[in-house]
Amino acid sequence: RQIRLKTVNCDRRDLEDELASNGTICLSDEISKEPYGNNNEFTYTSDSNGYSVRGPDMYYEPGGFIIELNNRDPDAWEATTKSMIDDGWVDLSTKVILLTFNIFNPSMTAALRFIIGFEQTSSGGIIPFHRIAAYNTDIFDETLTVVAIVIQCLVLIPMIYVSIKELELDEATLTPLELRDLK
């Protein structure tokens, strides 16, 4: 997904040097949701179920200009990537590009989410960053959770019983003076 910044008019009087000459664009700090590209084919997608990402320079809310790449078909991947390049998916208004990979290991019931980001600074530099989040999917399986609680109770009940019996045994072997000191 890509997050873009709004372009604003540059007034040469506000710039100390020649930054605005030769058609240079100026960017605001506001996120742009306007369609762009050849024939406006890239449109903003709101994602209320998505996740936010903290970059080195900004905090990015869910949503953006999202393109899904087919990981099972190398030809489709190549065609999509080529059309993104040809149609100008990345341009001067691009603030950050976020590549997200989700990996699931069924034998460990674990999932990983990798985010690799490339954030453009206001001076034009690129800062790469990454985020990794791991999830144990067992906690989402209600059947296993119920079974684990039942097993824990079955182990806990005999432990409580034995502890009570130990206390009763200790009270039976104590002298009346030792019992008085305990109370």
Side-chain angles (χ1 to χ4, degrees):
R1 82 182 153 132
Q2 176 191 160
I3 308 294
R4 301 172 54 79
L5 295 178
K6 288 184 179 178
T7 58
V8 293
N9 293 329
C10 292
D11 187 356
R12 287 183 55 133
R13 293 174 296 173
D14 294 340
L15 299 174
E16 294 178 11
D17 53 5
E18 297 295 318
L19 289 177
S21 64
N22 300 327
T24 301
I25 65 168
C26 293
L27 300 173
S28 73
D29 289 335
E30 288 185 58
I31 301 298
S32 172
K33 297 180 180 181
E34 298 297 319
Y36 74 102
N38 299 338
N39 302 321
N40 288 334
E41 71 263 22
F42 302 124
T43 56
Y44 187 88
T45 304
S46 295
D47 188 2
S48 60
N49 294 324
Y51 51 89
S52 301
V53 175
R54 180 180 43 87
D57 194 28
M58 285 179 73
Y59 187 78
Y60 302 102
E61 295 296 326
F65 295 89
I66 300 171
I67 293 186
E68 300 257 346
L69 297 172
N70 185 345
N71 63 346
R72 300 196 188 278
D73 185 2
D75 294 332
W77 178 294
E78 185 176 346
T80 303
T81 306
K82 184 176 179 346
S83 73
M84 289 168 58
I85 293 169
D86 293 344
D87 296 336
W89 189 67
V90 174
D91 62 9
L92 294 175
S93 293
T94 300
K95 176 60 178 167
V96 67
I97 295 174
L98 301 169
L99 304 171
T100 305
F101 301 92
N102 295 310
I103 300 170
F104 177 67
N105 184 339
S107 64
M108 295 179 64
T109 63
L112 292 174
R113 182 182 71 206
F114 292 95
I115 300 172
I116 301 170
F118 302 94
E119 186 175 65
Q120 182 172 329
T121 64
S122 58
S123 62
I126 302 293
I127 302 173
F129 66 94
H130 69 281
R131 304 283 181 259
I132 300 172
Y135 304 97
N136 182 352
T137 58
D138 273 347
I139 61 170
F140 301 113
D141 185 359
E142 292 180 21
T143 306
L144 288 178
T145 304
V146 171
V147 169
I149 291 172
V150 169
I151 291 172
Q152 288 174 358
C153 288
L154 290 175
V155 170
L156 191 60
I157 290 172
M159 288 176 59
I160 292 171
Y161 176 77
V162 169
S163 298
I164 291 172
K165 285 297 180 187
E166 284 290 321
L167 288 174
E168 288 174 356
L169 182 62
D170 284 347
E171 280 187 13
T173 59
L174 292 175
T175 64
L177 289 176
E178 292 172 329
L179 279 173
R180 186 190 68 186
D181 291 340
L182 286 175
K183 296 179 182 179

